[in-house]
Amino acid sequence: MRIAVSSDMDEPVARLVADELRERGHEVCLHGALSPGADPRWAACSERAAREVAEGRADQAVVCCWTGTGASIAANKVPGVRAALCADAYTADGARRWNDANVLALSLRLTSAPLLREILDAWFAAGPSEDAEDRDNVTHVERLDEGRAAR
């Protein structure tokens, strides 16, 4: 799988995200502070990683900033992206399962190495739910992207 990774700071946990993904056999494309010369602002680098997903150049993305909130907000502004800020494995599992999230947002401040591995394990173990209500919710979100949601 090709995964875009962005971070507004070159922090150990951001580097660990990229290393861990590579160790799991994924191709990693770096953005922001992890890519020399790239724009490190959280809004800009999160958007770039999210656009890779939306445009099909990456299968998923991981976006990071100090709290993870700004990165998730910026990524979610890109149509076709469903970014989820995950601080634990249970949330990561639910984000993939119920929301069909395609972008994982992480806090550089709160995510330790063991927690990161748990979150990634849950993220990659879960797949989108086939439940009709769950799929209907994801479809509704997709229509929001297109500006066609029922009112």
Side-chain angles (χ1 to χ4, degrees):
M1 202 179 318
R2 182 174 162 87
I3 302 177
V5 176
S6 72
S7 181
D8 65 337
M9 294 185 284
D10 186 2
E11 290 285 316
V13 72
R15 288 189 304 274
L16 183 59
V17 167
D19 292 344
E20 185 68 27
L21 291 171
R22 284 186 193 105
E23 286 177 22
R24 293 169 185 243
H26 302 292
E27 179 186 349
V28 176
C29 180
L30 300 176
H31 297 277
L34 301 174
S35 178
D39 189 342
R41 296 173 301 153
W42 58 262
C45 65
S46 298
E47 176 195 1
R48 281 192 177 77
R51 285 206 185 280
E52 288 217 31
V53 173
E55 295 171 3
R57 292 189 313 272
D59 300 295
Q60 296 182 4
V62 180
V63 295
C64 306
C65 69
W66 193 242
T67 65
T69 305
S72 66
I73 290 170
N76 275 316
K77 296 296 182 184
V78 176
V81 168
R82 291 175 303 281
L85 175 54
C86 298
D88 58 62
Y90 184 79
T91 305
D93 174 80
R96 288 286 300 131
R97 189 175 315 280
W98 301 313
N99 312 125
D100 194 7
N102 52 13
V103 174
L104 171 62
L106 296 172
S107 166
L108 294 172
R109 183 176 81 80
L110 296 177
T111 309
S112 66
L115 180 58
L116 171 65
R117 289 182 186 98
E118 290 175 10
I119 290 170
L120 292 176
D121 287 345
W123 181 266
F124 290 116
S129 170
E130 295 301 322
D131 178 81
E133 184 177 343
D134 295 335
R135 296 308 315 158
D136 186 53
N137 277 311
V138 172
T139 299
H140 186 91
V141 171
E142 290 170 343
R143 283 195 312 267
L144 289 171
D145 278 341
E146 298 167 7
R148 299 181 305 171
R151 296 187 181 177

